[in-house]
Amino acid sequence: MSHNRKNGLISVIVTNYNNENYISDCLDGILNQSYKNIEIIVIDDASTDNSLSVIKNWINLNKNSFSNDDFFTLIELPRNTGFSGAVTAGLFACKGEFIAFHDGDDLSNKNRFKKQVEFLNMNTHLNSVGCNYSIFSNSDLTPVFKPNGIVCGVEKIKNIYSKGGNCVCYGTLLFRGEIFDTIGGLNRRLPLVEDYEYITRLLPFGLDNLPDILYYYRKHEKQRSRGLYTFKDKPHNIEDFKVLMVLDKLNIGGTETHVLSLIKGLLANNIQVAIVAGKGPLKSEFEKLGCNIYEVDFPLTIETDVLKKSEFENMLNKIIDDESINIVHAHQSPSGSICIDLCNKLKIPCVFTIHGLYYQDIVDSKLKLAQEVISVSPPVYEWLLEFGINSTIVPNFIDFNEFFQFDNEEDIRNELDIDKDAFIALYCSRLAWGKTLVAENLIRVCRDIRRLENIDIHAIIVGEGPDLHKISYCCDRANNILKDNFIHVVGPKTVLNDYYASCDCVVGTGRVAIEAMASYKPVIASGNLGYLGILNEDNLDLSWQTYFADHKFNKVNNASYLYKDLKHMISNKNKFKDISNTCSNWAKEKFDTDTNIKDIIKIYQRSVSNCDYFFKK
């Protein structure tokens, strides 16, 4: 155990600021705990009332009951540091195997610490535990239980925090001291929400609640959390939001097409948007939105040169001033890392969406400074938790009204000289990373099905990227071997509707899988990290939990799986109409713009509200 922590000892941190009327009752409740191996650490945050005299008088009255000379420690801070500073000072003074929080105006049941330590000793895979609580007031000292949102169950708690909720009471927490040795103290830059943020940093280490009511929360006019009531009830006119949407480049990819849908949804809700990005082939689609687009040639990697970084900040700063921006929404590391630093300087919120597991360059450092973080899938949420970053899950979404069966599906077949009865497998992706392997598998499988099964199958591969030349080579090789043009690499396309309409199935992942379901096309989910197979009602929930095998491993990407599934689909082509309807209905419920844009707006509202306090002077 690090830092020579004393086995079995609980260090109880009590912060005090002007609690002269309540601190004695609080300390009495801790002294009378049934669990006796404790130390009390009181941090007085430069109180201006009579608190210090009350505390010192309590010490004199009760010192004969102290188990040893180290039982009670009083730390008098020379100036007011705020709640987080006071708690952190107490954390550094703790010597116990366990650390417990306790607000100076609240009370604890005499068995609280005993039950919490017993729980952690019985559940060694967990490191933190809270409990249920009741509320009392100065006018009525009898604690009354009211629904408070506290839930039990590690996964349930994670799920609630993943949606921006709260289900753990900070003052009820007891955790292993070695966790503090790992994550450090509270964030001093988040007044009034630093306790919430600290809970999110405990989540990756295993946190649960006891259902027992072991804590009594005092409600009074001067309590610290009273400031949050203004935050919760504060009205925000979303029409006043002015969002700067930031991308590295306007390339053709899942992130960029998601941002396109996001902006459409914001505009439909009368939220003003400006765009800043490097030039790219998708610019024409962004221009159709009617937003101001500012071209900035962002670096390809994180900018470390101070002067160059300053130049980018100055460019963004001018855009923010010209557009009266009050929210910045970033999506990619090179441009987003610059936005985070600039927003902290300008005192406006930076919202950052994490679209996959490839943000290693900022996840352990820069990303923690963003005001709000959005994850697009459960695996991304879990990954961020490993770095102590809580996020809100909002999936990639699309406008389902933009995708449907077209009458001109023969156009693509005619253009590529594909017989109307031939089976077409469509693959759309940026040709890089593990997705290149998926494209290669599709080429080999189509070649083998055509050769071994004598089936007229074609593959259309849409996309660009650093491996386009590699895929083009594989295409030419397969076509030459069979002396037929059945693999078609068509490069990048800004609109895919005609290709969806023309194909018989889509091999893909992520956003492409969602668009395919919106187009009522069967999907074979094969992604960066693994293979899921033909989507049907039995594996739709699994497809979300793995993000169509793109964000989480299910089984390895093996060409034999794809061969088997494609052959099955070809042999049972008519059967998949009903399956496609089921998948489309499921996808519409989860990924349609109308549902998810509301969650984005809530995050914007929260970021603006938090920023009011975050930068309050």
Side-chain angles (χ1 to χ4, degrees):
M1 192 174 297
S2 59
H3 298 287
N4 298 316
R5 296 195 174 277
K6 296 183 179 180
N7 289 338
L9 177 67
I10 301 176
S11 299
V12 185
I13 298 174
V14 182
T15 53
N16 176 71
Y17 179 71
N18 292 349
N19 282 320
E20 63 175 325
N21 295 324
Y22 315 122
I23 191 67
S24 291
D25 289 343
C26 168
L27 296 175
D28 283 342
I30 299 172
L31 180 64
N32 294 323
Q33 287 287 305
S34 58
Y35 190 96
K36 297 301 181 182
N37 189 11
I38 64 176
E39 64 171 351
I40 301 176
I41 301 170
V42 175
I43 305 93
D44 183 76
D45 196 17
S47 293
T48 58
D49 66 355
N50 199 37
S51 291
L52 272 176
S53 296
V54 173
I55 294 170
K56 291 175 180 177
N57 185 53
W58 184 90
I59 294 172
N60 288 329
L61 289 174
N62 293 281
K63 60 185 178 182
N64 290 334
S65 300
F66 296 170
S67 57
N68 55 66
D69 293 338
D70 296 329
F71 180 83
F72 196 99
T73 300
L74 174 61
I75 300 174
E76 301 178 38
L77 298 180
R79 62 182 177 83
N80 185 271
T81 64
F83 175 74
S84 58
V87 172
T88 301
L91 284 165
F92 278 105
C94 293
K95 299 185 288 289
E97 177 185 357
F98 303 100
I99 296 174
F101 290 139
H102 205 300
D103 285 340
D105 49 357
D106 296 339
L107 304 173
S108 279
N109 181 284
K110 68 177 182 178
N111 293 317
R112 172 193 163 187
F113 297 150
K114 178 183 177 182
K115 289 189 174 184
Q116 287 183 309
V117 168
E118 287 177 348
F119 179 82
L120 287 185
N121 285 338
M122 291 175 59
N123 297 274
T124 55
H125 62 292
L126 301 179
N127 288 289
S128 307
V129 60
C131 64
N132 216 332
Y133 66 90
S134 291
I135 298 175
F136 69 102
S137 64
N138 292 336
S139 59
D140 185 357
L141 298 178
T142 304
V144 176
F145 176 77
K146 295 181 179 180
N148 52 31
I150 298 298
V151 302
C152 300
V154 176
E155 294 306 317
K156 288 182 180 178
I157 290 172
K158 279 186 180 180
N159 184 51
I160 288 173
Y161 278 90
S162 77
K163 298 175 181 176
N166 186 18
C167 59
V168 177
C169 176
Y170 165 87
T172 71
L173 282 169
L174 182 143
F175 56 96
R176 302 186 198 277
E178 60 188 0
I179 301 303
F180 162 68
D181 301 334
T182 300
I183 68 174
L186 276 64
N187 190 332
R188 293 189 62 193
R189 298 194 304 161
L190 298 171
L192 293 181
V193 292
E194 62 269 76
D195 48 359
Y196 176 92
E197 191 269 345
Y198 201 73
I199 292 170
T200 67
R201 283 197 272 152
L202 293 173
L203 289 177
F205 299 93
L207 188 158
D208 204 349
N209 277 318
L210 294 177
D212 313 59
I213 298 174
L214 302 174
Y215 193 75
Y216 310 117
Y217 180 86
R218 186 191 301 265
K219 189 175 181 180
H220 61 91
E221 288 301 319
K222 293 184 179 180
Q223 67 194 129
R224 172 184 163 271
S225 59
R226 182 65 63 177
L228 284 177
Y229 300 153
T230 303
F231 153 65
K232 290 178 180 176
D233 299 330
K234 185 176 181 179
H236 292 291
N237 186 355
I238 66 173
E239 287 82 4
D240 293 333
F241 288 175
K242 296 181 179 180
V243 180
L244 183 65
M245 204 66 64
V246 184
L247 288 163
D248 289 352
K249 294 183 184 298
L250 298 180
N251 287 327
I252 300 174
T255 297
E256 293 82 3
T257 49
H258 165 73
V259 172
L260 198 63
S261 296
L262 169 58
I263 296 174
K264 290 178 183 177
L266 294 175
L267 295 175
N269 283 272
N270 298 316
I271 293 176
Q272 299 180 57
V273 180
I275 303 162
V276 59
K279 60 184 178 181
L282 208 59
K283 183 178 180 181
S284 60
E285 294 300 311
F286 277 89
E287 288 175 335
K288 294 176 183 177
L289 300 172
C291 303
N292 289 336
I293 300 177
Y294 296 86
E295 188 175 306
V296 174
D297 190 18
F298 287 110
L300 297 177
T301 57
I302 302 297
E303 185 59 75
T304 57
D305 185 279
V306 176
L307 291 178
K308 290 182 180 179
K309 182 181 173 185
S310 179
E311 291 176 3
F312 286 113
E313 288 186 355
N314 290 336
M315 284 188 279
L316 288 174
N317 192 9
K318 186 177 187 310
I319 296 168
I320 289 171
D321 284 343
D322 291 344
E323 295 281 345
S324 299
I325 297 297
N326 48 35
I327 300 171
V328 174
H329 194 157
H331 298 265
Q332 293 161 322
S333 294
S335 56
S337 63
I338 296 170
C339 290
I340 289 173
D341 287 342
L342 179 61
C343 286
N344 280 313
K345 292 176 183 177
L346 297 180
K347 301 177 173 37
I348 61 175
C350 181
V351 177
F352 206 121
T353 295
I354 301 299
H355 293 266
L357 309 180
Y358 45 82
Y359 292 80
Q360 288 87 351
D361 48 357
I362 62 170
V363 69
D364 200 24
S365 54
K366 194 70 67 179
L367 194 58
K368 295 178 180 179
L369 302 177
Q371 184 98 27
E372 290 278 346
V373 178
I374 299 170
S375 49
V376 300
S377 70
V380 171
Y381 173 79
E382 293 283 349
W383 180 66
L384 290 173
L385 278 183
E386 294 176 9
F387 296 90
I389 297 172
N390 189 55
S391 61
T392 303
I393 299 178
V394 182
N396 267 316
F397 50 82
I398 63 174
D399 182 352
F400 272 64
N401 294 322
E402 294 182 1
F403 296 88
F404 50 87
Q405 296 265 19
F406 288 93
D407 294 331
N408 59 342
E409 61 181 273
E410 298 300 322
D411 289 355
I412 298 299
R413 290 180 179 260
N414 291 335
E415 179 184 326
L416 299 177
D417 195 23
I418 302 174
D419 187 82
K420 65 182 180 63
D421 295 322
F423 187 94
I424 298 178
L426 175 67
Y427 181 75
C428 308
S429 175
R430 181 162 171 76
L431 299 175
W433 312 302
K435 291 173 182 174
T436 301
L437 172 63
V438 180
E440 289 175 327
N441 282 347
L442 178 60
I443 292 172
R444 286 195 294 268
V445 166
C446 288
R447 177 200 66 197
D448 291 345
I449 289 178
R450 195 177 184 87
R451 181 177 59 184
L452 300 176
E453 311 291 343
N454 197 28
I455 292 173
D456 187 11
I457 183 172
H458 289 247
I460 300 177
I461 297 175
V462 180
E464 64 173 350
D467 290 341
L468 176 58
H469 68 286
K470 186 177 181 180
I471 295 303
S472 296
Y473 172 78
C474 291
C475 164
D476 293 340
R477 190 167 182 270
N479 287 338
N480 289 334
I481 288 174
L482 296 189
K483 295 180 173 54
D484 200 350
N485 189 32
F486 67 97
I487 307 292
H488 312 269
V489 179
V490 298
K493 301 294 178 182
T494 57
V495 179
L496 294 174
N497 294 38
D498 288 347
Y499 288 90
Y500 289 132
S502 302
C503 73
D504 295 289
C505 82
V506 176
V507 179
T509 186
R511 186 179 180 85
V512 168
I514 298 168
E515 291 180 352
M517 287 186 282
S519 303
Y520 293 92
K521 293 296 178 177
V523 177
I524 298 177
S526 181
N528 258 2
L529 292 185
Y531 187 88
L532 181 60
I534 301 172
L535 296 189
N536 57 69
E537 60 183 351
D538 295 328
N539 63 10
L540 287 174
D541 287 338
L542 180 60
S543 72
W544 168 234
Q545 294 302 320
T546 62
Y547 200 57
F548 309 100
D550 200 33
H551 293 167
K552 192 172 183 180
F553 181 82
N554 183 49
K555 55 185 178 182
V556 295
N557 251 320
N558 191 301
S560 64
Y561 299 138
L562 182 59
Y563 187 103
K564 178 181 177 182
D565 284 339
L566 269 176
K567 185 180 174 184
H568 174 72
M569 193 172 284
I570 293 168
S571 301
N572 300 273
K573 189 175 177 180
N574 293 331
K575 163 187 172 183
F576 283 93
K577 186 172 183 180
D578 291 338
I579 293 176
S580 297
N581 289 337
T582 299
C583 292
S584 182
N585 292 334
W586 172 83
K588 183 174 175 58
E589 186 176 328
K590 185 173 288 289
F591 301 108
D592 191 43
T593 297
D594 290 343
T595 301
N596 292 286
I597 201 70
K598 295 175 183 177
D599 291 333
I600 294 288
I601 293 172
K602 288 178 184 177
I603 291 168
Y604 286 171
Q605 289 174 312
R606 191 166 67 229
S607 73
V608 170
S609 298
N610 283 349
C611 215
D612 289 340
Y613 294 105
F614 185 45
F615 298 108
K616 188 176 181 180
K617 295 183 179 179

